[in-house]
Amino acid sequence: MQDNSDGLLLDTVNLMMRLFAVAASALAVVLPLQPAPPRSYAVAVQLETTAETSANVSMGDLDGDGDLDLVLAKGRHWPLVNRVLLNDGRGEFAASNLATEADRSYSTVLADLDGNQTLDLVVSNDRPDGKLVYFNDGQGRFTRGGTWGAPEWTTRNATVADLNGDGAVDIIAANRGGQSGFCLNDGAGGFATPCVMIAAASATSIIAADFDNDGAIDLAVPHRDGGQSQVFFNDGKAGFSRVREFGPKTSNARTGAAGDLNGDGWMDLIVGDERTGVQVYLNDKTGALRAGVTLGDPSLPTGAVHIADLNRDGHADAIIGYYKPGATPAVFFSDGSGTGFARVAFGDGEGAVYGIAIGDVNGDTYPDIATARSDAPNMLYLSGK
């Protein structure tokens, strides 16, 4: 009779390994991710030597070389020329002007607008300047394309998302003192007018995210000038008739960001409000946003909010910039609960931080922080232990 002991032993080992893998997987579901120690940002690099009026900063690989480059939106109410900064892979940059003409830019948003796998630019300008599109040749060189929106819009920040499910990113404009709206992409980076307005009053930031987990991108609109903030829910075809209020009846919110702050698979929201400070809103798993904790000193006026995992522990952290002189920006490292955060300040407190971008600029695998400032040079802060 043939001896099958070796085969039986192998089958037993394989079975035990499968059982161990199942048990480990189940244990990973049960046990939450443990918070990692906070990072520090003592190494600061000037992105420019001047202290011009900057409004925002964007980060992405513009020239296809595998490292992250920067675009600085400059001007706000006063015309300036936007700047492109190409990274050499070590966190040092070669700067050039985006265009020859100055304009009143609030944001320069990176996205592939024409479907050719390169990052193009959406420039949001305040009135009376036109709102512009720039196409990337793949080497980080930009050519002005068409326009979007209307020159008379008092546009502050723009954001991009595919609102109608056609695979092309659309442009959402936050207009202060008037209705906001969105412009649909024709698939080739063209944005026909008229754009579609939504029933939202004054806004300087609109946050695009799927708040009700139905696969369509919704729009959270914090009210800028004393009104009620709202979420406009997308029907999947860029219809936004279903609306839900959040936050206080009287809001003076400048900025916000979305992310899953408590790891439950639902998008939460952080809003920087001049009245109440920086407020965390947790999703109740129906799309309703419920007020949670306040981050930092509520008396400090917030210029920028960003959400990212800065210490690579799987938890979404909050980065906050202020526009009060002497107020240093800070990272609020999350413990994963959505209510527990450890504050780590960074920077010199000079100027006003109006924009934040996050990414690993120097290739050490930890995200760094770029800030756009007014009345102080724009800065890059490198992550360290």
Side-chain angles (χ1 to χ4, degrees):
M1 188 170 96
Q2 185 177 0
D3 185 0
N4 292 325
S5 58
D6 289 343
L8 291 174
L9 178 60
L10 182 59
D11 290 342
T12 302
V13 170
N14 287 335
L15 177 60
M16 292 179 65
M17 290 179 66
R18 288 197 296 270
L19 291 174
F20 178 79
V22 171
S25 177
L27 188 61
V29 173
V30 173
L31 293 179
L33 294 170
Q34 294 302 306
R39 305 288 289 178
S40 66
Y41 300 89
V43 178
V45 179
Q46 278 193 356
L47 297 175
E48 296 180 302
T49 57
T50 59
E52 296 175 328
T53 305
S54 296
N56 227 315
V57 57
S58 301
M59 190 179 292
D61 184 3
L62 303 180
D63 52 5
D65 64 355
D67 54 44
L68 295 176
D69 311 300
L70 302 172
V71 181
L72 292 169
K74 302 171 72 67
R76 299 181 67 240
H77 304 297
W78 307 275
L80 289 171
V81 177
N82 300 316
R83 300 277 281 170
V84 176
L85 284 68
L86 297 181
N87 189 350
D88 66 359
R90 301 184 301 272
E92 297 180 4
F93 299 89
S96 61
N97 290 337
L98 174 63
T100 56
E101 65 271 18
D103 46 25
R104 299 166 178 83
S105 296
Y106 269 82
S107 62
T108 46
V109 183
L110 292 168
D112 180 9
L113 301 177
D114 53 5
N116 69 348
Q117 309 303 311
T118 63
L119 290 176
D120 308 305
L121 271 173
V122 173
V123 180
S124 67
N125 291 323
D126 193 11
R127 67 180 178 187
D129 298 339
K131 289 63 173 150
L132 305 174
V133 167
Y134 288 84
F135 292 111
N136 187 350
D137 68 354
Q139 302 298 315
R141 297 184 294 259
F142 291 89
T143 302
R144 179 170 164 174
T147 61
W148 59 275
E152 63 269 21
W153 284 0
T154 53
T155 304
R156 299 302 186 254
N157 291 296
T159 190
V160 294
D162 180 6
L163 298 180
N164 57 358
D166 65 353
V169 293
D170 310 303
I171 302 175
I172 304 112
N175 296 332
R176 186 170 188 182
Q179 276 191 302
S180 297
F182 57 90
C183 306
L184 295 175
N185 191 337
D186 65 6
F191 297 88
T193 56
C195 297
V196 182
M197 310 311 289
I198 58 176
S202 185
T204 54
S205 179
I206 294 179
I207 301 94
D210 182 5
F211 291 102
D212 57 359
N213 267 3
D214 66 350
I217 298 297
D218 311 307
L219 303 175
V221 186
H223 201 291
R224 180 67 181 92
D225 291 303
Q228 177 69 63
S229 299
Q230 299 169 300
V231 177
F232 292 78
F233 292 97
N234 190 346
D235 64 5
K237 301 177 181 179
F240 292 92
S241 59
R242 185 166 65 95
V243 182
R244 206 164 189 171
E245 297 177 346
F246 73 93
K249 292 294 184 183
T250 301
S251 174
N252 286 97
R254 178 183 289 271
T255 185
D260 182 3
L261 298 172
N262 56 3
D264 65 355
W266 292 74
M267 296 300 286
D268 309 303
L269 188 68
I270 295 179
V271 173
D273 192 298
E274 290 180 349
R275 289 175 178 266
T276 59
V278 180
Q279 183 71 54
V280 172
Y281 292 92
L282 295 178
N283 198 321
D284 71 352
K285 298 185 180 182
T286 71
L289 299 171
R290 309 300 186 190
V293 298
T294 299
L295 298 181
D297 184 346
S299 70
L300 295 178
T302 306
V305 172
H306 200 95
I307 295 176
D309 180 8
L310 292 186
N311 56 352
R312 304 190 315 172
D313 63 357
H315 303 310
D317 309 309
I319 308 94
I320 300 172
Y322 303 101
Y323 62 92
K324 180 179 180 179
T328 56
V331 178
F332 290 80
F333 286 95
S334 174
D335 65 4
S337 67
T339 58
F341 296 86
R343 178 181 177 273
V344 173
F346 65 93
D348 53 18
E350 295 182 6
V353 177
Y354 285 122
I356 293 171
I358 303 296
D360 178 14
V361 170
N362 58 358
D364 68 351
T365 74
Y366 281 93
D368 308 302
I369 304 172
T371 60
R373 306 196 294 184
S374 289
D375 303 319
N378 297 310
M379 301 295 294
L380 173 67
Y381 299 95
L382 300 178
S383 178
K385 294 181 180 179

